Amino acid sequence: MKTVILSPQSDKTAMQTAATLIKAGEVVGMPTETVYGLAANALNGAAVEKIFRAKGRPQDNPLIVHIADFQQIYDLCPHVPDSAARLAEAFWPGPLTMIVPKGDCIPNEVSCGLDTVGIRLPSHPMARELIRAAGVPLAAPSANTSGRPSTTTAEHVLNDMDGKIAAILDGGACGVGVESTVVSLAGEKPRLLRPGGITLEQLETVLGEVEVDRALYEKISDDTRVSAPGMKYRHYAPKAPVTAVRGAPAESAAYILAHAARADGVLCFDECAAAFAGLFVVSFGRSDDLPTQAREVFDALRAFDETDVHTIWAQCPSDEGLGLAVSNRIKKAAGFHIIEL
Ligand code: AMP
Ligand code: MG
C-alpha cells in the first residue's frame, strides 16, 4: 500500500479524501493537539483491526474513541456519569480522555473485551473536521509502532507507518506533545490512569480527590490485569536502553557526568547541555519549562535512534503539574530503571 500525505493547508480536497478513506474502512494518520493518531471508523470492527496490525499493538490494549461534539458521547455510552459532563465543561475540547461504561455500538476490537470505553473530544481543528466529515467517531491510538515513542509530526508518522496505512493528514507539529490524560469514571472513585496535558491538580479542582493508579509509579508485569492495559507495556522506548535520573537539575547533571561512558548519550535540560560536551546530547527544554519538555520529549527520544549511543542518561522533572506526565514518559522509556537522588 502506498501511504499518501494529504496537506489540507495547500490542497482543498485533502480533508474530503481523508474522510472518504475513513468511510471505506481505511486507516488515516491524524494530527491532534497531543500527538498524531492512527484513525479508523470506531463503529467498524474490521477497520479498527487494521490499526492493530499497522502498529503491531497487543490485542488487549483498547483504543480511545474521538468525537467532535459533546452530545456524541450519549451515542457511545448508556449512562454518562455526572462527573463526565463536569469534566467536559472544564476541559473539552482538550487533552483529556474519560473512561466510561460502553454502549453496544462499540465493537470489541475497540474495547478489547472491557465493558468500558475511553472517549475524548480533541481541540485540534483538523481532527474535529475529519470526525465531522467522516460522520463517525474515530478510534485512534498514537501513530507509532507499538513500543516506540509517540509521533508529533507527519514525518515521524511516515517513518513508522509508510506502506502500512492509506494516508496521513499533515497538520504540522503537535502542540501538547504528550498523550491525553486518561481518567476512569467507571469505578466508585475517579482514578488517574495516565498523566497528560490536563494535570492531576486540574482534575481535582473539578472532581475532588482523584486516586492515582499504581502503574504510574511502578513497572507492571505482562500477565497482570490492570485498569489501563496500555500501561503495562514497555513504551516510548528508543533503541538504546535509558536510565532516568531524578533530583535537582545540578545534582542529576553531576551524577550523569560521573557515570556516563564516552559512547553514551544524554537527554538533558537546556541549561545543563554545556556540561556534557563530548557526549551525544539532546536537550528538551529548561528545567522550569514543563510545556516545552512535554512538546519535545518524544522528538528528543527519537533523535537517539539516529546515533549508535550505548546508553541514554535522562534528566527527569519532578511530579508536580505537567511534570507528572513528562516524568512518566521518561520513566516508561527507561522501563522504570530510575536513579532517585
Ligand atoms: P494510546 O492511544 O496508544 O496512546 O493509548 C491509549 C491508552 O488509553 C492506553 O493506555 C489504553 O490502555 C487506555 N485505554 C483506552 N481505553 C481504555 C479503557 N476502556 N479502559 C482503560 N484504559 C483504556
Ligand atoms: Mg501510544
Side-chain angles (χ1 to χ4, degrees):
M1 171 186 310
K2 168 133 182 59
T3 303
V4 206
I5 304 277
L6 300 167
S7 304
Q9 259 125 4
S10 57
D11 170 6
K12 283 209 181 85
T13 65
M15 188 57 74
Q16 260 322 311
T17 307
T20 304
L21 286 167
I22 296 280
K23 288 185 206 167
E26 293 300 331
V27 176
V28 174
M30 155 180 93
T32 81
E33 73 277 25
T34 57
V35 298
Y36 272 73
L38 285 185
N41 177 354
L43 306 178
N44 175 344
V48 171
E49 183 58 48
K50 291 182 187 172
I51 297 176
F52 282 81
R53 253 179 279 144
K55 281 192 65 128
R57 186 176 176 99
Q59 294 290 338
D60 64 348
N61 191 3
L63 305 183
I64 293 167
V65 176
H66 295 71
I67 58 178
D69 298 286
F70 178 72
Q71 294 304 319
Q72 272 180 294
I73 196 173
Y74 294 102
D75 302 337
L76 308 175
C77 167
H79 308 291
V80 178
D82 241 26
S83 49
R86 281 187 282 130
L87 282 178
E89 178 72 29
F91 304 120
W92 274 2
L96 175 67
T97 298
M98 306 183 205
I99 307 295
V100 293
K102 96 176 181 71
D104 295 337
C105 65
I106 304 287
N108 203 33
E109 284 83 353
V110 169
S111 55
C112 299
L114 301 175
D115 51 12
T116 54
V117 62
I119 300 183
R120 177 162 109 80
L121 202 171
S123 68
H124 198 294
M126 270 189 211
R128 281 157 72 188
E129 215 182 315
L130 181 61
I131 299 165
R132 292 200 177 112
V136 287
L138 298 181
S142 52
N144 50 282
T145 301
S146 223
R148 301 251 303 130
S150 299
T151 50
T152 54
T153 64
E155 191 192 339
H156 286 167
V157 181
L158 193 65
N159 281 345
D160 278 23
M161 293 296 147
D162 196 9
K164 297 181 176 165
I165 59 174
I168 301 166
L169 264 187
D170 187 352
C174 299
V176 179
V178 290
E179 305 85 341
S180 59
T181 302
V182 179
V183 65
S184 173
L185 305 174
E188 234 162 74
K189 288 190 184 149
R191 173 184 287 262
L192 180 66
L193 302 183
R194 176 171 77 183
I198 301 295
T199 64
L200 177 61
E201 294 86 342
Q202 284 175 297
L203 292 178
E204 288 188 326
T205 59
V206 174
L207 297 173
E209 201 196 334
V210 175
E211 290 179 346
V212 176
D213 202 275
R214 74 192 168 97
L216 267 65
Y217 298 112
E218 59 188 82
K219 192 174 159 75
I220 306 291
S221 72
D222 283 359
D223 49 8
T224 310
R225 208 179 144 71
V226 289
S227 17
M231 299 187 304
K232 73 185 178 195
Y233 296 104
R234 179 156 189 248
H235 230 122
Y236 313 129
K239 288 165 190 158
V242 179
T243 299
V245 185
R246 307 231 311 161
E251 268 183 81
S252 55
Y255 182 94
I256 293 170
L257 264 181
H259 291 83
R262 287 245 308 273
D264 289 352
V266 185
L267 173 70
C268 69
F269 302 127
D270 288 357
E271 70 270 27
C272 300
F276 299 113
L279 300 172
F280 182 79
V281 181
V282 183
S283 63
F284 70 123
R286 292 189 50 85
S287 58
D288 57 2
D289 183 357
L290 291 165
T292 298
Q293 291 174 32
R295 235 176 353 256
E296 302 285 330
V297 66
F298 288 132
D299 269 22
L301 286 169
R302 276 180 177 260
F304 291 100
D305 286 347
E306 314 287 315
T307 73
D308 45 18
V309 296
H310 289 184
T311 290
I312 300 164
W313 299 85
Q315 287 188 295
C316 196
S318 69
D319 286 345
E320 273 107 69
L322 198 52
L324 186 63
V326 176
S327 70
N328 170 261
R329 301 319 187 266
I330 293 174
K331 288 180 200 169
K332 293 198 70 172
F336 287 90
H337 184 227
I338 306 163
I339 313 275
E340 298 275 1
L341 298 175

